[in-house]
């Protein structure tokens, strides 16, 4: 027979240790899996503490809240703030180096002569001239022009150009971005910028430079209207905003690029309509992505066709 344990031995408590750190004594159990956990493995829960694995598993099983269009909830307008920062940085850069405007503004075509002067573009130009703009393969101008603005002492507005645009971007962006989610918002902004540039390519004289974020901002204005209708918001204030936006489009036609405004407005409306009315479900994101790609392909095809026409039916020189 085995000897009976003494009273002191039977009263000795059993030492429990953390399941992840066997050498660390622990007396707290995970409220979900009931395993012992040390302070390093404890995570605050609604009741008691949970281990890191249970917290991770719980996060995977919790369904994330989504916006109406399927995007992740964006509590703060981070993308809007970044876009404003990029516009301001580009503005400071062009003030320091004015040649940035000539190189990256939206421009369909012009000639640069041997004297450094600018001339009206014509196919078959003399060999001592060279072309600039989209006809010279500078396709990046379709986007970069939307991040540049008039220098402080030039144009009708000067410094007010970027100030007004950035205020408008902040006012609209902080409303539209949370409704779309960040990824869809970025796609909308860039496509509206591209749409404004393509309309400038189609409707503006070939040797005219265009700059400004107005095309993208008009796209955000259209998005605000479409989303408000989709969620059933009180449309009285929204309609007043749209009337103001359309009046500005008409009244500023002689002072600003109405072509870019119109292109951004129509592109923004088309993209947001696809966002807002795509059937909810597992294919919602796929349908929205296909719509964005379709708009991108259409704009690219129109731009390429117009540039081919300018170069006499050939590719960009």
């Amino acid at each position: 027979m085995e000897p009976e344990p003494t009273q002191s031995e039977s009263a000795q408590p059993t030492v429990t240790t953390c399941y992840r750190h066997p050498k660390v004594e622990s007396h707290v159990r995970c409220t979900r899996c009931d395993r012992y956990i040390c302070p390093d493995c404890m995570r605050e829960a609604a009741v008691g503490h949970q281990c890191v694995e249970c917290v991770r598993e719980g996060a995977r099983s919790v369904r994330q809240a989504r916006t109406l269009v399927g995007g992740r909830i964006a509590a703060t307008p981070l993308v809007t703030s970044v876009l404003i920062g990029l516009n301001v940085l580009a503005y400071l850069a062009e003030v320091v180096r004015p040649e940035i405007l000539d190189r990256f503004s939206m421009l369909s075509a012009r000639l640069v002569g041997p004297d450094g002067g600018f001339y009206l573009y014509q196919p078959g130009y003399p060999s001592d001239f060279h072309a600039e703009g989209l006809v010279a393969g500078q396709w990046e101008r379709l986007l970069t022009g939307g991040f540049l603005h008039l220098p402080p002492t030039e144009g009708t507005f000067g410094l007010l150009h970027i100030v007004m645009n950035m205020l408008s971007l902040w006012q609209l962006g902080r409303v539209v971005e949370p409704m779309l989610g960040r990824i869809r918002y970025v796609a909308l902004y860039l496509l509206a910028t591209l749409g404004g540039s393509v309309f400038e390519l189609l409707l503006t004289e070939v040797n005219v430079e265009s700059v400004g974020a107005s095309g993208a901002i008009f796209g955000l204005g259209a998005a605000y209207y479409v989303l408000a209708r989709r969620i059933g918001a009180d449309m009285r204030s929204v309609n007043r905003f749209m009337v103001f936006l359309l009046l500005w489009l008409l009244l500023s036609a002689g002072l600003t690029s109405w072509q870019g405004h119109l292109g951004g407005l129509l592109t923004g409306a088309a993209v947001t309509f696809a966002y807002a009315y795509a059937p909810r479900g597992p294919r919602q994101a796929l349908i929205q992505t296909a719509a964005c790609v379709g708009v991108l392909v259409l704009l690219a095809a129109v731009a390429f066709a117009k540039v081919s026409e300018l170069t006499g039916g050939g590719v960009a020189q």
Side-chain angles (χ1 to χ4, degrees):
M1 295 181 60
E2 296 182 0
E4 293 287 338
T6 64
Q7 185 176 359
S8 60
E9 290 176 339
S10 61
Q12 184 177 357
T14 304
V15 177
T16 55
T17 59
C18 173
Y19 83 98
R20 296 179 72 232
H21 304 99
K23 294 183 180 180
V24 180
E25 183 176 349
S26 174
H27 302 284
V28 178
R29 293 176 183 267
C30 171
T31 56
R32 186 169 180 174
C33 67
D34 206 36
R35 292 180 291 188
Y36 285 102
I37 48 178
C38 67
D40 288 340
C41 299
M42 291 180 189
R43 299 295 182 268
E44 194 77 27
V47 179
H49 297 82
Q50 292 184 5
C51 65
V52 290
E53 292 182 5
C54 287
V55 170
R56 192 180 302 117
E57 182 64 28
R60 282 197 296 262
S61 62
V62 173
R63 187 174 183 180
Q64 298 295 324
R66 294 281 178 171
T67 66
L68 172 72
V69 302
R72 292 187 177 182
I73 299 293
T76 57
L78 175 63
V79 174
T80 299
S81 300
V82 170
L83 290 171
I84 292 174
L86 290 175
N87 277 274
V88 171
L89 287 175
Y91 190 72
L92 294 176
E94 71 183 57
V95 169
V96 175
R97 300 186 62 183
E99 61 270 21
I100 289 177
L101 271 176
D102 289 333
R103 175 58 186 84
F104 292 103
S105 60
M106 172 54 202
L107 174 70
S108 56
R110 73 177 168 208
L111 294 177
V112 180
D115 58 352
F118 298 141
Y119 297 87
L120 184 65
Y121 175 82
Q122 293 180 348
Y125 50 83
S127 59
D128 54 346
F129 284 71
H130 70 270
E132 286 188 341
L134 300 183
V135 296
Q138 297 169 347
W139 297 100
E140 67 278 0
R141 289 177 181 264
L142 290 167
L143 284 179
T144 56
F147 289 87
L148 301 174
H149 289 81
L150 292 173
T153 58
E154 289 188 19
T156 306
F157 299 101
L159 183 61
L160 282 177
H161 188 212
I162 186 171
V163 172
M164 293 170 61
N165 275 351
M166 293 304 100
L167 286 175
S168 300
L169 175 55
W170 174 250
Q171 293 295 332
L172 282 168
R174 65 179 182 173
V175 175
V176 175
E177 181 180 345
M179 298 176 73
L180 292 181
R182 289 168 180 163
I183 295 177
R184 289 167 177 79
Y185 178 72
V186 169
L188 168 68
Y189 189 92
L190 295 178
L191 285 172
T193 300
L194 183 61
S197 295
V198 170
F199 269 64
E200 289 171 359
L201 170 63
L202 294 176
L203 304 175
T204 305
E205 294 181 11
V206 294
N207 61 332
V208 175
E209 292 184 356
S210 299
V211 292
S214 301
I217 292 170
F218 269 76
L220 296 184
Y224 173 56
Y225 179 80
V226 172
L227 291 170
R229 289 191 63 88
R230 180 67 177 87
I231 64 176
D234 184 353
M235 295 300 294
R236 287 175 294 183
S237 60
V238 179
N239 288 335
R240 286 195 295 268
F241 167 77
M242 285 305 297
V243 169
F244 168 77
L245 201 65
L246 294 175
L247 282 176
W248 175 248
L249 174 63
L250 295 175
L251 297 177
S252 64
L255 304 174
T256 62
S257 172
W258 66 267
Q259 300 91 335
H261 296 173
L262 180 61
L265 184 75
L266 295 178
T267 305
V271 172
T272 310
F273 188 88
Y275 284 165
Y277 292 94
R280 305 190 73 175
R283 295 186 178 181
Q284 184 182 33
L286 180 62
I287 294 172
Q288 293 167 343
T289 301
C292 289
V293 172
V295 171
L296 176 62
V297 170
L298 176 61
L299 292 174
V302 171
F304 185 82
K306 179 62 178 179
V307 170
S308 296
E309 177 186 334
L310 292 174
T311 56
V315 296
Q317 299 178 24

